[in-house]
Amino acid sequence: MKLTHQMIAAAVALLAAGSAAAVVTPDEAKQLGTTLTAWGAEKAGNKDGSIPAYTGGLTKTPAGVSVPADGRLPNPYASEKPLFSIDAKNVQQYADKLTPGEIELIRRYPGYRLDIYPGHRSFPEMSKEHQQNSIKNASNAECKTTPDGTGLRGCWGGTPFPVPKTGSEAMWNHLVRWRSTYEYRGESRLVGAGGETLLNQSQAYVEFPYWEPDVKAYDGAGQYLQRFVNVSIGPARDAGNVSMIFFPLQNDTMDQRTWSYTPGQRRVRLAPEFSYDTPSAQMGGAMNYDEIGLFAGKMDRYDFKLVGKQEKYVVSNGYGVIFGKNHAMLGKQFLAPEANRYELRRVWVVEATLKAGKRHVAPKRTFYIDEDSWTAVAAEVYDNSGKLSRVQQGYSVTDYTTGTWLSASFFTSYDLPKAQYAAVNLIGIMDGGFYRKLAARRPDRALTPESLAASGLR
């Protein structure tokens, strides 16, 4: 093929953009750790104080809070009352602070409302080492995405892009957001016109090698941003099924590694289909694999546009949903409004549009990423006709007993055409549900295909 001067120039420009986008300006570098947190959040509150200043987050158990042995974290803000509520009567008054998905849920479902609470920026301050690594990443020309945004290079042990310049950088901040190794047991349920269905009861082990100081960057376990093992407990037809997923950092050259073990077949097989827009069998097909945690996996099928930072009412401090014990919170059409807690937050807005020549059932998605934690807290999914088809909300909390962040795949997904919703990984309503932060990762020998059959329950 003959290359024109224009094609060569475009390729050179693309490579230059990919290699230079991550580096902050000297003025931006000075802000990290001063007016901005080391990982990029504005320390100051907003003008009217409805978003408070960041003062270090929630790093110890509040007075009067007693945590049970199963680690189900009580809501430290349970005594607070809503400041006001937003529903069909006043939705237009607050429309500029709502996401299109929230507006659609209010429009579609009579009785749906957002209870707005005082803001608490409870994301716990990172360790000094993680803060220093975040600042170092920001000024390191080798910390970058590949030109197409699919792979990550040269970043380690801190937020890759505290001052993101592209949508891909903001999404990488979400994918590698700071979390600690932990286990939990919870259940997922689907609620619709036919009533309530148990999708899955499972016990999961999750680790994040990217943040571990004793892991060598981009080598061995350090090749992965997350390693995940899920053991199904119920329903009975799924009990004993085990899946293990390794999410790579160099997603442009390494494939996501996924293995599945089924007791009936007594064999472990590679399961590359557990990705992209394949419906998750574990979740009864109610969502796709790359919708778990609002977004997971490889970014090569979309162009990601960084719209900018906005103030939105989004679910926050989700103790009442993740650890809520009242099964009645699963309403017939939506979660009971009193279970949800909304706060005004600054969020990064990223629009994902399907690339030419790529295939996906969702040609457009929008993500809202919390500035403090880099966690996606809301998403909208559009179908091929351009209509809003799914509205998703992500739940995270601070583990105040250890000063760490608990954020994985706790979320709700409203399927609008089917008039149903899935509530995923609820720890509180499950008999035997638990959460615990682990002091150490499992040894590598416990995370091999050969180990899956013996994973069992721990």
Side-chain angles (χ1 to χ4, degrees), residues 325-336:
K325 295 181 179 181
N326 185 359
H327 194 276
M329 73 177 175
L330 296 174
K332 292 182 179 180
Q333 294 179 309
F334 47 83
L335 283 185

Side-chain angles (χ1 to χ4, degrees), residues 171-318:
M171 293 304 294
W172 270 110
N173 285 350
H174 161 69
L175 289 174
V176 302
R177 63 197 181 278
W178 173 57
R179 291 161 286 176
S180 298
T181 300
Y182 57 86
E183 286 184 314
Y184 66 87
R185 183 183 291 180
E187 68 180 40
S188 304
R189 292 188 170 265
L190 183 68
V191 185
E196 190 177 310
T197 303
L198 174 64
L199 292 175
N200 185 261
Q201 292 177 321
S202 62
Q203 182 168 320
Y205 165 85
V206 197
E207 68 173 33
F208 308 95
Y210 174 89
W211 291 93
E212 297 291 346
D214 62 337
V215 173
K216 185 177 179 181
Y218 299 87
D219 184 53
Q223 297 175 92
Y224 303 100
L225 62 98
Q226 177 179 341
R227 301 198 294 186
F228 173 85
V229 180
N230 187 84
V231 181
S232 290
I233 303 168
R237 67 178 184 273
D238 296 329
N241 290 347
V242 186
S243 58
M244 181 169 68
I245 305 177
F246 291 6
F247 295 96
L249 293 163
Q250 299 183 79
N251 240 337
D252 56 313
T253 60
M254 295 179 64
D255 291 328
Q256 175 181 308
R257 303 289 287 168
T258 306
W259 297 269
S260 175
Y261 171 77
T262 304
Q265 298 178 351
R266 294 188 177 182
R267 69 183 183 92
V268 176
R269 68 177 185 89
L270 279 171
E273 72 275 13
F274 288 10
S275 60
Y276 293 117
D277 55 354
T278 301
S280 170
Q282 176 185 324
M283 294 301 167
M287 66 207 65
N288 303 324
Y289 277 100
D290 70 357
E291 292 179 308
I292 295 175
L294 304 198
F295 185 82
K298 200 169 183 177
M299 292 192 285
D300 61 327
R301 296 191 181 182
Y302 290 100
D303 289 316
F304 292 89
K305 176 185 176 183
L306 187 63
V307 177
K309 193 184 289 187
Q310 300 176 5
E311 293 185 2
K312 296 291 182 183
Y313 291 114
V314 292
V315 290
S316 305
N317 290 302

Side-chain angles (χ1 to χ4, degrees), residues 124-154:
E125 189 172 41
M126 294 183 187
S127 70
K128 295 299 182 184
E129 182 179 10
H130 288 155
Q131 292 189 53
Q132 290 167 0
N133 288 341
S134 298
I135 294 172
K136 186 186 300 183
N137 286 338
S139 298
N140 178 12
E142 298 303 313
C143 175
K144 59 191 176 185
T145 69
T146 51
D148 65 354
T150 302
L152 193 68
R153 297 286 191 277

